[in-house]
Coordinates of all heavy atoms in Angstrom, one line a residue:
M231 N 139.6 99.8 79.3 CA 139.3 100.7 80.4 C 138.2 100.1 81.2 O 137.2 99.6 80.6 CB 138.9 102.1 79.8 CG 139.4 103.2 80.7 SD 139.2 104.8 80.0 CE 138.6 104.8 78.4
E232 N 138.2 100.2 82.5 CA 137.2 99.7 83.4 C 136.7 100.8 84.2 O 137.4 101.5 84.9 CB 137.9 98.6 84.2 CG 136.9 97.8 85.1 CD 137.7 96.8 85.9 OE1 138.7 96.3 85.5 OE2 137.2 96.5 87.0
L233 N 135.4 100.9 84.3 CA 134.7 102.0 85.1 C 134.1 101.3 86.3 O 133.3 100.4 86.1 CB 133.7 102.7 84.2 CG 133.0 103.9 84.8 CD1 134.0 105.0 85.1 CD2 131.9 104.4 83.9
N234 N 134.4 101.8 87.5 CA 133.8 101.3 88.7 C 133.1 102.4 89.5 O 133.6 103.5 89.5 CB 134.9 100.7 89.6 CG 135.6 99.5 89.0 OD1 134.9 98.5 88.6 ND2 136.9 99.5 88.8
K235 N 132.0 102.0 90.1 CA 131.3 103.0 90.9 C 131.2 102.4 92.3 O 131.0 101.2 92.5 CB 129.9 103.2 90.4 CG 129.9 104.1 89.2 CD 128.4 104.5 88.8 CE 128.5 105.3 87.6 NZ 127.1 105.7 87.2
K236 N 131.2 103.3 93.3 CA 131.1 102.9 94.7 C 130.3 103.9 95.5 O 130.6 105.1 95.3 CB 132.5 102.7 95.2 CG 132.6 102.2 96.6 CD 134.1 102.1 97.0 CE 134.8 101.1 96.2 NZ 136.1 100.7 96.7
L237 N 129.4 103.5 96.3 CA 128.7 104.4 97.2 C 129.5 104.4 98.5 O 129.7 103.4 99.1 CB 127.2 104.0 97.5 CG 126.5 104.7 98.6 CD1 126.3 106.1 98.3 CD2 125.2 104.0 98.9
V238 N 129.9 105.6 98.9 CA 130.7 105.8 100.1 C 129.9 106.6 101.1 O 129.5 107.7 100.9 CB 132.1 106.5 99.9 CG1 132.8 106.6 101.2 CG2 132.9 105.7 98.8
M239 N 129.5 105.9 102.3 CA 128.7 106.5 103.3 C 129.7 106.8 104.5 O 130.3 105.8 105.0 CB 127.6 105.6 103.7 CG 126.6 105.3 102.6 SD 125.4 104.1 103.0 CE 126.3 102.6 103.0
T240 N 129.7 108.0 105.0 CA 130.7 108.3 106.1 C 129.9 108.7 107.3 O 128.9 109.5 107.2 CB 131.6 109.5 105.6 OG1 132.3 109.1 104.4 CG2 132.6 109.8 106.7
F241 N 130.3 108.2 108.4 CA 129.7 108.4 109.7 C 130.7 108.9 110.7 O 131.9 108.7 110.5 CB 129.1 107.0 110.3 CG 128.1 106.3 109.4 CD1 128.6 105.5 108.4 CD2 126.8 106.5 109.6 CE1 127.6 104.9 107.6 CE2 125.9 105.8 108.8 CZ 126.3 105.0 107.8
K242 N 130.2 109.5 111.8 CA 131.1 109.8 112.9 C 130.7 108.9 114.1 O 129.5 108.6 114.3 CB 130.9 111.3 113.3 CG 132.0 111.8 114.2 CD 132.1 113.3 114.2 CE 133.3 113.7 113.4 NZ 133.7 115.0 113.7
T243 N 131.7 108.4 114.8 CA 131.5 107.4 115.8 C 131.4 108.2 117.2 O 131.6 109.4 117.3 CB 132.7 106.4 116.0 OG1 133.9 107.1 116.3 CG2 132.8 105.6 114.7
T244 N 131.0 107.4 118.2 CA 130.8 108.0 119.5 C 132.1 108.4 120.1 O 132.1 109.3 121.0 CB 130.1 107.0 120.5 OG1 130.9 105.7 120.4 CG2 128.7 106.7 120.1
D245 N 133.3 107.9 119.6 CA 134.6 108.4 120.0 C 135.1 109.5 119.1 O 136.3 109.7 119.0 CB 135.5 107.3 120.3 CG 135.9 106.5 119.1 OD1 135.3 106.7 118.0 OD2 136.8 105.6 119.2
D246 N 134.2 110.1 118.3 CA 134.5 111.2 117.4 C 135.5 110.9 116.3 O 136.3 111.8 115.9 CB 135.1 112.4 118.3 CG 134.8 113.8 117.6 OD1 133.8 113.9 116.9 OD2 135.7 114.6 117.7
K247 N 135.4 109.7 115.7 CA 136.3 109.4 114.6 C 135.4 109.2 113.4 O 134.2 108.8 113.5 CB 137.1 108.1 114.8 CG 138.1 108.3 115.9 CD 138.9 107.0 116.1 CE 139.9 107.3 117.3 NZ 140.6 106.1 117.6
K248 N 135.9 109.4 112.2 CA 135.1 109.2 111.0 C 135.4 107.8 110.5 O 136.5 107.3 110.5 CB 135.5 110.2 109.9 CG 135.0 111.6 110.1 CD 135.3 112.4 108.9 CE 134.7 113.8 109.1 NZ 135.0 114.7 108.0
V249 N 134.3 107.2 110.0 CA 134.3 105.8 109.5 C 133.5 105.8 108.2 O 132.4 106.4 108.2 CB 133.7 104.8 110.5 CG1 133.6 103.4 109.9 CG2 134.5 104.8 111.8
S250 N 134.0 105.1 107.2 CA 133.2 105.0 106.0 C 132.8 103.5 105.7 O 133.6 102.6 105.9 CB 134.0 105.5 104.8 OG 134.2 106.9 104.9
I251 N 131.7 103.4 105.1 CA 131.2 102.1 104.6 C 130.9 102.3 103.2 O 130.3 103.2 102.7 CB 129.9 101.7 105.4 CG1 130.1 101.5 106.9 CG2 129.3 100.4 104.7 CD1 128.8 101.3 107.6
S252 N 131.4 101.3 102.4 CA 131.2 101.5 100.9 C 130.5 100.3 100.3 O 130.6 99.2 100.8 CB 132.6 101.7 100.2 OG 133.4 100.5 100.4
V253 N 129.7 100.6 99.3 CA 128.9 99.6 98.6 C 129.3 99.7 97.1 O 129.2 100.7 96.5 CB 127.4 99.8 98.8 CG1 126.6 98.8 98.0 CG2 127.0 99.8 100.3
D254 N 129.8 98.5 96.6 CA 130.2 98.5 95.2 C 128.9 98.5 94.3 O 127.9 97.9 94.6 CB 131.0 97.3 94.9 CG 132.4 97.3 95.5 OD1 132.8 98.4 95.8 OD2 133.0 96.3 95.7
N255 N 129.0 99.1 93.1 CA 128.0 99.1 92.1 C 126.6 99.5 92.6 O 125.7 98.7 92.5 CB 128.0 97.8 91.4 CG 129.3 97.4 90.8 OD1 130.0 98.2 90.2 ND2 129.8 96.2 91.0
P256 N 126.4 100.7 93.2 CA 125.1 101.1 93.6 C 124.2 101.2 92.4 O 124.6 101.4 91.3 CB 125.3 102.4 94.3 CG 126.6 102.9 93.6 CD 127.4 101.8 93.3
R257 N 122.9 101.1 92.7 CA 121.9 101.3 91.6 C 122.0 102.6 91.0 O 122.3 103.6 91.6 CB 120.5 101.2 92.2 CG 119.9 99.9 92.4 CD 118.4 99.9 92.8 NE 117.8 101.1 92.9 CZ 117.3 101.6 94.1 NH1 117.3 100.9 95.2 NH2 116.7 102.8 94.1
E258 N 121.8 102.7 89.7 CA 121.9 104.0 88.9 C 120.8 105.0 89.4 O 121.0 106.2 89.4 CB 121.7 103.7 87.4 CG 122.9 103.0 86.8 CD 124.1 103.9 86.8 OE1 124.1 105.1 86.7 OE2 125.2 103.3 86.9
D259 N 119.6 104.5 89.8 CA 118.5 105.4 90.1 C 118.4 105.6 91.7 O 117.4 106.0 92.2 CB 117.2 104.8 89.6 CG 116.8 103.5 90.2 OD1 117.7 102.8 90.8 OD2 115.7 103.1 90.1
L260 N 119.5 105.4 92.4 CA 119.5 105.6 93.8 C 119.3 107.0 94.2 O 120.0 107.9 93.7 CB 120.8 105.1 94.4 CG 121.0 104.9 95.9 CD1 120.0 103.8 96.4 CD2 122.4 104.4 96.2
S261 N 118.3 107.3 95.1 CA 118.0 108.7 95.4 C 118.7 109.1 96.7 O 119.1 108.2 97.5 CB 116.5 108.9 95.6 OG 116.0 108.2 96.7
E262 N 118.8 110.4 96.9 CA 119.4 110.9 98.2 C 118.6 110.4 99.4 O 119.2 110.1 100.4 CB 119.5 112.4 98.2 CG 120.7 113.0 97.5 CD 120.7 114.5 97.7 OE1 120.7 115.0 98.9 OE2 120.8 115.2 96.7
S263 N 117.3 110.5 99.3 CA 116.5 110.1 100.4 C 116.7 108.6 100.8 O 116.7 108.2 101.9 CB 115.0 110.4 100.2 OG 114.5 109.7 99.1
E264 N 116.9 107.7 99.8 CA 117.1 106.3 100.0 C 118.4 106.1 100.7 O 118.5 105.3 101.7 CB 117.1 105.5 98.7 CG 115.8 105.3 98.1 CD 115.9 104.6 96.7 OE1 116.6 105.1 95.8 OE2 115.1 103.6 96.6
V265 N 119.5 106.9 100.3 CA 120.8 106.7 101.0 C 120.7 107.2 102.4 O 121.2 106.6 103.3 CB 121.8 107.5 100.2 CG1 123.2 107.6 100.9 CG2 122.0 107.0 98.8
K266 N 120.0 108.4 102.6 CA 119.9 108.9 104.0 C 119.1 107.9 104.9 O 119.5 107.7 106.0 CB 119.2 110.3 103.9 CG 119.1 110.9 105.3 CD 118.6 112.3 105.2 CE 118.5 112.9 106.6 NZ 117.8 114.2 106.6
N267 N 118.0 107.4 104.3 CA 117.2 106.4 105.1 C 118.1 105.2 105.5 O 118.0 104.7 106.6 CB 116.0 106.0 104.3 CG 114.9 107.1 104.3 OD1 115.0 108.1 105.0 ND2 114.1 107.0 103.3
A268 N 118.9 104.7 104.5 CA 119.7 103.5 104.8 C 120.7 103.9 105.9 O 121.0 103.0 106.8 CB 120.4 103.1 103.5
M269 N 121.3 105.0 105.8 CA 122.3 105.4 106.8 C 121.7 105.6 108.1 O 122.3 105.2 109.2 CB 123.0 106.7 106.3 CG 123.9 106.6 105.1 SD 124.6 108.1 104.6 CE 125.9 108.4 105.9
E270 N 120.5 106.1 108.2 CA 119.8 106.3 109.5 C 119.5 104.9 110.1 O 119.6 104.7 111.3 CB 118.5 107.1 109.3 CG 118.9 108.6 109.1 CD 117.6 109.4 108.7 OE1 116.6 108.8 108.3 OE2 117.7 110.7 108.8
L271 N 119.1 104.0 109.2 CA 118.8 102.6 109.6 C 120.0 101.9 110.2 O 120.0 101.2 111.2 CB 118.2 101.8 108.5 CG 117.7 100.4 108.8 CD1 116.5 100.5 109.8 CD2 117.2 99.7 107.5
I272 N 121.2 102.1 109.5 CA 122.4 101.6 110.0 C 122.8 102.1 111.4 O 123.1 101.3 112.3 CB 123.6 101.9 109.0 CG1 123.4 101.1 107.7 CG2 125.0 101.6 109.6 CD1 124.3 101.5 106.6
T273 N 122.6 103.4 111.6 CA 122.9 103.9 113.0 C 121.9 103.4 114.0 O 122.2 103.1 115.1 CB 123.0 105.4 113.0 OG1 121.8 106.0 112.5 CG2 124.2 105.9 112.2
E274 N 120.6 103.4 113.6 CA 119.5 103.0 114.5 C 119.7 101.5 114.9 O 119.5 101.2 116.1 CB 118.2 103.2 113.7 CG 117.0 102.7 114.5 CD 115.7 102.9 113.6 OE1 115.5 103.9 113.0 OE2 114.9 101.9 113.6
K275 N 120.0 100.6 114.0 CA 120.1 99.2 114.3 C 121.4 98.9 115.1 O 121.6 97.8 115.7 CB 120.1 98.3 113.0 CG 118.7 98.4 112.3 CD 117.7 97.8 113.2 CE 116.3 97.8 112.4 NZ 115.2 97.3 113.2
N276 N 122.4 99.8 115.0 CA 123.6 99.7 115.8 C 124.3 98.4 115.5 O 124.7 97.7 116.5 CB 123.3 99.9 117.2 CG 124.6 100.3 118.0 OD1 125.6 100.8 117.5 ND2 124.6 100.0 119.3
I277 N 124.5 98.0 114.3 CA 125.1 96.7 114.0 C 126.6 96.8 113.7 O 127.3 95.7 113.7 CB 124.4 96.0 112.8 CG1 124.5 96.9 111.5 CG2 123.0 95.6 113.1 CD1 123.9 96.3 110.3
F278 N 127.1 98.0 113.6 CA 128.6 98.1 113.3 C 129.2 98.9 114.5 O 128.6 99.8 115.0 CB 128.9 99.0 112.1 CG 128.4 98.3 110.8 CD1 127.3 98.8 110.1 CD2 129.1 97.2 110.3 CE1 126.9 98.1 109.0 CE2 128.7 96.6 109.1 CZ 127.5 97.0 108.5
A279 N 130.3 98.4 115.0 CA 131.0 99.1 116.1 C 132.5 99.1 115.8 O 133.3 98.3 116.4 CB 130.7 98.4 117.4
P280 N 133.0 99.9 114.8 CA 134.4 99.9 114.5 C 135.2 100.4 115.7 O 135.0 101.4 116.2 CB 134.5 100.9 113.3 CG 133.2 101.7 113.4 CD 132.2 100.9 114.1
G281 N 136.2 99.6 116.0 CA 137.1 99.9 117.1 C 136.3 100.0 118.5 O 136.8 100.6 119.4
G282 N 135.2 99.3 118.5 CA 134.4 99.3 119.8 C 133.5 100.5 120.0 O 132.7 100.6 121.0
A283 N 133.5 101.5 119.0 CA 132.7 102.7 119.2 C 131.5 102.6 118.2 O 131.6 102.1 117.1 CB 133.5 103.9 118.8
D284 N 130.3 103.0 118.7 CA 129.1 103.0 117.8 C 129.1 104.1 116.8 O 129.7 105.1 117.0 CB 127.9 103.1 118.7 CG 127.7 101.9 119.7 OD1 128.1 100.8 119.3 OD2 127.1 102.1 120.7
L285 N 128.4 103.8 115.7 CA 128.2 104.9 114.7 C 127.1 105.8 115.3 O 126.0 105.4 115.6 CB 127.7 104.3 113.4 CG 128.7 103.3 112.7 CD1 128.1 102.8 111.4 CD2 130.1 103.9 112.5
A286 N 127.4 107.1 115.3 CA 126.5 108.0 116.0 C 125.9 109.1 115.1 O 124.7 109.4 115.3 CB 127.3 108.7 117.1
Y287 N 126.6 109.6 114.1 CA 126.1 110.7 113.3 C 126.4 110.4 111.8 O 127.4 109.8 111.5 CB 126.8 112.0 113.7 CG 126.7 112.3 115.2 CD1 127.8 112.1 116.0 CD2 125.5 112.8 115.7 CE1 127.7 112.4 117.3 CE2 125.4 113.1 117.0 CZ 126.5 112.9 117.9 OH 126.4 113.2 119.2
L288 N 125.5 110.9 111.0 CA 125.7 110.9 109.5 C 126.6 112.0 109.2 O 126.4 113.2 109.6 CB 124.4 111.0 108.8 CG 123.2 110.1 109.2 CD1 122.0 110.4 108.3 CD2 123.6 108.7 109.3
V289 N 127.6 111.8 108.3 CA 128.5 112.9 107.9 C 128.3 113.2 106.5 O 128.0 114.3 106.1 CB 130.0 112.5 108.2 CG1 130.9 113.6 107.6 CG2 130.2 112.3 109.7
S290 N 128.4 112.2 105.6 CA 128.3 112.5 104.1 C 128.0 111.2 103.4 O 128.2 110.1 103.9 CB 129.5 113.2 103.6 OG 130.6 112.3 103.6
A291 N 127.6 111.3 102.2 CA 127.5 110.2 101.2 C 127.8 110.7 99.9 O 127.4 111.8 99.5 CB 126.0 109.6 101.3
K292 N 128.4 109.8 99.1 CA 128.8 110.2 97.7 C 129.0 108.9 96.9 O 129.3 107.9 97.4 CB 130.0 111.1 97.7 CG 131.3 110.4 98.3 CD 132.4 111.4 98.4 CE 133.5 110.8 99.2 NZ 134.6 111.8 99.5
V293 N 128.8 109.1 95.6 CA 129.1 108.0 94.7 C 130.4 108.4 94.0 O 130.6 109.5 93.5 CB 128.0 107.8 93.6 CG1 128.5 106.8 92.5 CG2 126.7 107.4 94.2
V294 N 131.4 107.5 94.2 CA 132.7 107.7 93.6 C 132.9 106.8 92.4 O 132.6 105.6 92.4 CB 133.8 107.3 94.7 CG1 135.2 107.5 94.1 CG2 133.7 108.2 95.9
Q295 N 133.3 107.4 91.3 CA 133.5 106.7 90.1 C 135.0 106.7 89.7 O 135.6 107.8 89.7 CB 132.7 107.5 89.0 CG 132.5 106.7 87.7 CD 131.5 107.4 86.9 OE1 130.4 107.9 87.3 NE2 131.8 107.5 85.6
T296 N 135.5 105.5 89.5 CA 136.9 105.4 89.1 C 137.0 104.8 87.7 O 136.3 103.9 87.4 CB 137.7 104.6 90.1 OG1 137.2 103.3 90.2 CG2 137.8 105.2 91.5
D297 N 138.0 105.3 87.0 CA 138.3 104.8 85.7 C 139.7 104.2 85.7 O 140.7 104.8 86.0 CB 138.2 106.0 84.7 CG 138.3 105.6 83.3 OD1 138.3 104.4 83.0 OD2 138.4 106.5 82.4
T298 N 139.8 102.9 85.4 CA 141.0 102.2 85.5 C 141.5 101.7 84.2 O 140.7 101.1 83.4 CB 140.9 100.9 86.5 OG1 140.4 101.4 87.7 CG2 142.2 100.2 86.6
T299 N 142.7 102.0 83.9 CA 143.3 101.5 82.6 C 144.5 100.5 83.0 O 145.4 100.8 83.7 CB 144.0 102.6 81.8 OG1 142.9 103.6 81.5 CG2 144.6 102.1 80.5
N300 N 144.3 99.3 82.6 CA 145.3 98.2 82.8 C 146.3 98.1 81.7 O 145.9 98.2 80.5 CB 144.7 96.9 83.1 CG 143.9 96.9 84.3 OD1 144.3 97.3 85.4 ND2 142.7 96.3 84.3
Y301 N 147.5 98.0 82.0 CA 148.5 97.8 80.9 C 149.1 96.3 81.0 O 149.3 95.8 82.0 CB 149.7 98.7 81.1 CG 149.3 100.2 81.0 CD1 149.1 101.0 82.1 CD2 149.1 100.7 79.7 CE1 148.7 102.3 81.9 CE2 148.7 102.0 79.5 CZ 148.5 102.8 80.7 OH 148.2 104.1 80.5
D302 N 149.2 95.7 79.8 CA 149.7 94.4 79.7 C 151.2 94.5 79.6 O 151.7 94.6 78.5 CB 149.1 93.7 78.6 CG 149.5 92.2 78.5 OD1 149.9 91.6 79.5 OD2 149.4 91.6 77.4
L303 N 151.9 94.4 80.7 CA 153.4 94.5 80.6 C 154.0 93.1 80.5 O 153.7 92.2 81.3 CB 153.9 95.2 81.9 CG 153.3 96.6 82.2 CD1 153.9 97.1 83.5 CD2 153.7 97.5 81.0
V304 N 154.8 92.9 79.5 CA 155.5 91.7 79.3 C 156.9 91.9 79.8 O 157.6 92.7 79.3 CB 155.4 91.2 77.9 CG1 156.2 89.9 77.7 CG2 154.0 91.1 77.4
L305 N 157.3 91.2 80.9 CA 158.6 91.4 81.4 C 159.5 90.2 81.2 O 159.1 89.1 81.1 CB 158.5 91.6 82.9 CG 157.6 92.8 83.4 CD1 157.5 92.8 84.9 CD2 158.3 94.1 82.9

């Protein structure tokens, strides 16, 4: 069994679409304020423009944990 964690930050663009940026294996002690500050910095620096639209608003942030079980199938 393999456990994976991912920080998913969701923004709304200037053309009113939702866009997510994910970071694999976030720190265990990551605080809400650190995530919010990082998201604000991302919008402030304006370095991403998905589909030509700027990231304009913070929508949400969450840590997603997935548990994967691989099967060894001999065919």
Side-chain angles (χ1 to χ4, degrees):
M231 215 172 354
E232 185 180 331
L233 185 65
N234 295 306
K235 286 187 180 181
K236 187 180 291 195
L237 169 64
V238 180
M239 300 173 286
T240 305
F241 302 84
K242 195 162 255 199
T243 62
T244 51
D245 63 353
D246 205 36
K247 294 181 180 174
K248 284 187 180 179
V249 173
S250 293
I251 298 173
S252 63
V253 177
D254 291 338
N255 303 314
R257 279 190 356 242
E258 289 292 328
D259 63 344
L260 193 61
S261 70
E262 272 189 57
S263 62
E264 288 176 306
V265 173
K266 185 176 180 187
N267 288 341
M269 291 177 73
E270 288 172 343
L271 186 61
I272 289 168
T273 57
E274 179 185 310
K275 295 294 182 182
N276 199 25
I277 57 174
F278 297 107
D284 295 333
L285 301 179
Y287 306 101
L288 312 183
V289 175
S290 66
K292 58 188 171 188
V293 173
V294 176
Q295 194 169 315
T296 57
D297 188 5
T298 304
T299 302
N300 292 314
Y301 295 104
D302 186 21
L303 300 178
V304 178
L305 301 174

